[in-house]
Amino acid sequence: MERIGIIGAGQMGTGIAQICAVAGYDVRMIDVKDEVIAASLATIETNISRQVARGRLSVDAAEIAQQRIVTGKDYALFGDCDLVIEAASEDEEVKRDVLKSLVPHLSPDAIIATNTSSISITRLAAATDRPGKFVGMHFMNPVPVMQLVELIRAIQTEQPTFDTVRRLAESLGKTVSVAEDFPAFIVNRILMPMINEAIYTLYAGVGSVESIDTAMKLGANHPMGPLELADFIGLDTCLAIMHSLHSGLADAKYQPCPLLVKYVEAGWLGRKTKRGFYDYHSERPVPTR
Ligand SMILES: CC(=O)CC(=O)SCCNC(=O)CCNC(=O)[C@H](O)C(C)(C)COP(=O)(O)OP(=O)(O)OC[C@H]1O[C@@H](n2cnc3c(N)ncnc32)[C@H](O)[C@@H]1OP(=O)(O)O
Ligand SMILES: NC(=O)C1=CN([C@@H]2O[C@H](COP(=O)(O)OP(=O)(O)OC[C@H]3O[C@@H](n4cnc5c(N)ncnc54)[C@H](OP(=O)(O)O)[C@@H]3O)[C@@H](O)[C@H]2O)C=CC1
């Protein structure tokens, strides 16, 4: 494995590109907007510079890593990639369109991985010309910091594909946890109902944003409160994951909180739009409820 493609230069695509380049892989990354790509490269530069300042990476290695990342808007960039990781928005129609556009450009042996948080790997695999060479590779946010990669086998995934992607995750310094292909897999099946319940707790007036987050940080030793974490993940992504759980498992306990729905309808998506359960326009996040 030498060259890795990434679709989507949002927070996940950016983190994946960074760790792949630092680990020595050539990276090709596309997105639909120039400004998103520019912001992604700026984030990578900041993060890599911090690694240099911390003495974890030499100046030369940092420069080489950044040169390994080639960006653009055209799927033809993926022609010589050994593996392409799809990290576009958490929307099945978007992902299907992306996969349809991708496959004509790929070499026959190339593997496709999806970083989806919740959507059926089996259905996405079936939307490609190579379901046996398709796998779920679910990185955690922030990618450079979090230790885990969840690997999800579609019913069609062939063992050599799975083994190759496991080796790739390990070569990136990650620890693998294997999940079967059920809605939202392991991490989000457990984490997202907790976040949704925190939003219900706010909706019911049990506590303010600050009291709920403080309670869970100091009372349950979570590194971030659930509402702060929801803003960090992206409220659109949180809602999409709850929809996958609700429709995929047909259980009322997964119904998304109406307040979450309203925030997403308002375009309050968390940190990425500078407003969610907190307002991020000033230096310190300000709770909005
Ligand atoms: C939705 C899904 O499908 C799946 C998911 O990803 S669910 C979300 C999973 N992620 C989590 O639960 C994250 C919970 N939060 C945390 O673990 C921590 O708050 C955190 C790791 C994000 C930050 O840790 P912290 O100790 O509070 O902050 P801080 O001291 O600033 O950061 C620790 C290090 O991480 C780095 N870091 C923090 N945020 C970062 C980011 N977004 N990108 C890159 N590096 C980051 C910092 O630079 C710092 O590095 P150094 O050691 O070089 O100083
Ligand atoms: N956020 C998280 O904590 C985690 C997210 N994930 C998953 O990773 C994926 C990406 O999430 P995340 O990075 O947070 O989302 P972001 O919203 O930060 O980034 C998604 C990016 O994909 C772009 N995009 C949308 N459509 C296309 C397309 N057709 N072609 C290329 N790029 C496209 C978006 O552009 P535009 O903004 O213009 O629409 C955006 O830049 C999702 O599947 C999500 O569920 C997995 C683990 C954790």
Side-chain angles (χ1 to χ4, degrees):
M1 175 105 31
E2 286 176 16
R3 189 157 293 157
I4 296 175
I6 299 169
I7 303 170
Q11 51 182 340
M12 296 307 289
T14 299
I16 298 166
Q18 180 188 320
I19 63 166
C20 288
V22 169
Y25 297 100
D26 286 335
V27 173
R28 304 285 179 261
M29 178 166 64
I30 69 163
D31 202 298
V32 279
K33 289 189 197 136
D34 290 326
E35 61 268 29
V36 171
I37 295 171
S40 169
L41 291 175
T43 301
I44 291 172
E45 181 164 12
T46 306
N47 286 347
I48 287 186
S49 301
R50 204 176 42 239
Q51 285 184 277
V52 173
R54 294 267 194 265
R56 294 181 190 137
L57 208 60
S58 71
V59 174
D60 285 352
E63 200 170 305
I64 292 168
Q66 286 182 80
Q67 283 166 358
R68 285 199 188 105
I69 304 174
V70 174
T71 58
K73 287 156 82 174
D74 190 343
Y75 285 88
L77 265 187
F78 299 133
D80 55 1
C81 284
D82 304 299
L83 173 138
V84 176
I85 303 172
E86 176 281 308
S89 313
E90 187 70 352
D91 176 322
E92 188 161 343
E93 285 317 305
V94 168
K95 290 190 187 297
R96 282 175 179 275
D97 284 351
V98 160
L99 294 171
K100 197 170 156 202
S101 306
L102 168 68
V103 290
H105 297 277
L106 287 182
S107 80
D109 291 336
I111 292 173
I112 307 175
T114 173
N115 188 50
T116 179
S117 297
S118 65
I119 299 167
S120 163
I121 309 299
T122 299
R123 278 204 306 274
L124 293 177
T128 72
D129 61 349
R130 61 195 71 206
K133 293 189 169 60
F134 194 97
V135 69
M137 187 179 197
H138 184 209
F139 290 85
M140 302 296 132
N141 188 15
V143 178
V145 180
M146 303 299 283
Q147 191 61 46
L148 186 76
V149 171
E150 242 181 328
L151 283 190
I152 309 107
R153 220 188 286 267
I155 198 168
Q156 310 97 316
T157 309
E158 290 160 2
Q159 193 60 38
T161 300
F162 196 80
D163 293 342
T164 302
V165 174
R166 179 193 277 271
R167 280 196 298 275
L168 168 64
E170 287 167 354
S171 76
L172 298 171
K174 302 300 184 191
T175 300
V176 163
S177 171
V178 177
E180 294 303 320
D181 187 19
F182 284 86
F185 326 122
I186 295 172
V187 171
N188 284 324
R189 178 146 177 181
I190 298 168
L191 179 70
M192 209 44 74
M194 185 206 64
I195 288 177
N196 195 45
E197 197 57 34
I199 304 170
Y200 268 117
T201 307
L202 179 69
Y203 182 61
V206 182
S208 65
V209 167
E210 201 166 15
S211 56
I212 291 167
D213 276 353
T214 302
M216 293 307 286
K217 277 195 284 192
L218 302 187
N221 256 5
H222 290 197
M224 285 177 170
L227 301 173
E228 184 190 357
L229 182 57
D231 276 359
F232 180 62
I233 290 167
L235 301 188
D236 52 341
T237 303
C238 293
L239 180 59
I241 296 169
M242 287 312 299
H243 280 313
S244 292
L245 282 164
H246 194 219
S247 62
L249 297 169
D251 189 327
K253 76 178 176 183
Y254 299 113
Q255 190 178 341
C257 177
L259 189 61
L260 173 62
V261 175
K262 264 203 182 134
Y263 269 50
V264 173
E265 285 172 353
W268 297 345
L269 307 183
R271 273 180 188 266
K272 61 184 160 188
T273 59
K274 291 194 180 294
R275 185 179 171 141
F277 294 108
Y278 293 83
D279 186 299
Y280 297 93
H281 287 93
S282 45
E283 210 175 302
R284 265 180 69 86
V286 179
T288 55
R289 276 169 184 265

